[in-house]
Amino acid sequence: NYVTVFRETPYLLFLRNSIIVAVGSTVLSMIIACLGAYAIARLNFPGRALLARGLVFTYLVPTSLLFIPMFAMMSALRLTDSLHGLIIAYLGFDVPFCTWLLMGYFRSVPVELEEAALVDGCNRITALVRIVLPLALPALVVVTFFSFTHAWNEFLYAHVFTSTNSARTITTGLANFMSADVFFWGPLMASTVMSALPPVIMFLVLQRWVVQGLTLGGVKG
């Protein structure tokens, strides 16, 4: 079954597409979320509290209500059936959650450390990169793992926005192992097992930081 998957199906193409989409959306989500969370946590500007609440409300909107208007927007921008279109679509859900989660961790970092860095000549970006981000490493690992697994496992957008094998990810590509009412169970199960390995390996490698990030702040001292 494993040999059949590699030799007779476009599984490697689906795997490549999933890796590109998951890594691309994760990197962009982390960059935007770090900058946004730091701005909301540390800078004073009009509408900061409203923006912070809006992030939570945005994340609570279910995907089943948004895929039709999102498809209309993607079609108008000619982003359907493309990997970069999927990456942009996933940012709408990854960025609000990651930003909201990082805000709490950034607030827990003593502001005196940043003030000392600013006195020594750092600007805001340098203080964020050299002071805040290293101290918030467990939180960064958590949001990275969440963003990656969300993009890796997402099905609805990938199914609606893609129509050819060149842009399909693993979750939608597995439909190739079904023909009418016939299921090719052997190749389907083999590809499913292999598709589950990347998130599992990622969690095993980052387990210590994931657990620390999820429990950090759970006890008030």
Side-chain angles (χ1 to χ4, degrees):
N1 291 323
Y2 288 97
V3 173
T4 301
V5 168
F6 285 112
R7 290 184 177 179
E8 302 179 13
T9 68
Y11 178 81
L12 292 179
L13 175 62
F14 302 148
L15 179 63
R16 187 206 68 174
N17 293 341
S18 290
I19 292 175
I20 293 175
V21 172
V23 173
S25 63
T26 299
V27 172
L28 291 178
S29 298
M30 290 299 299
I31 294 174
I32 299 173
C34 288
L35 296 175
Y38 182 78
I40 296 175
R42 287 290 191 257
L43 305 181
N44 293 320
F45 56 90
R48 183 180 66 168
L50 180 62
L51 179 60
R53 295 188 182 95
L55 291 173
V56 180
F57 296 148
T58 301
Y59 178 72
L60 294 177
V61 178
T63 57
S64 57
L65 295 179
L66 296 179
F67 76 93
I68 294 179
M70 284 286 290
F71 179 79
M73 293 176 58
M74 290 292 178
S75 298
L77 297 174
R78 298 181 179 179
L79 294 175
T80 56
D81 203 29
S82 64
L83 298 182
H84 54 276
L86 282 179
I87 293 174
I88 295 174
Y90 292 162
L91 293 180
F93 293 91
D94 293 340
V95 170
F97 177 81
C98 295
T99 304
W100 174 75
L101 185 62
L102 288 175
M103 283 166 45
Y105 286 99
F106 287 172
R107 289 195 179 108
S108 66
V109 177
V111 68
E112 292 79 10
L113 297 177
E114 297 176 56
E115 293 175 348
L118 295 175
V119 171
D120 289 339
C122 292
N123 53 32
R124 284 288 183 179
I125 297 297
T126 308
L128 171 64
V129 173
R130 295 188 176 183
I131 304 299
V132 179
L133 293 185
L135 295 176
L137 181 60
L140 297 178
V141 172
V142 169
V143 297
T144 299
F145 182 74
F146 166 83
S147 181
F148 181 87
T149 53
H150 172 263
W152 187 268
N153 297 325
E154 204 280 330
F155 174 79
L156 182 60
Y157 280 7
H159 179 68
V160 173
F161 295 161
T162 60
S163 57
T164 62
N165 287 341
S166 60
R168 283 177 177 163
T169 58
I170 287 179
T171 53
T172 55
L174 292 180
N176 285 359
F177 300 103
M178 309 173 192
S179 177
D181 58 344
V182 178
F183 292 77
F184 303 98
W185 288 111
L188 179 61
M189 293 297 100
S191 59
T192 302
V193 170
M194 291 186 292
S195 302
L197 290 179
V200 172
I201 294 174
M202 184 178 180
F203 177 78
L204 292 177
V205 173
L206 304 176
Q207 181 179 9
R208 180 166 62 91
W209 292 280
V210 170
V211 174
Q212 183 180 355
L214 291 174
T215 56
L216 185 64
V219 179
K220 187 175 181 181

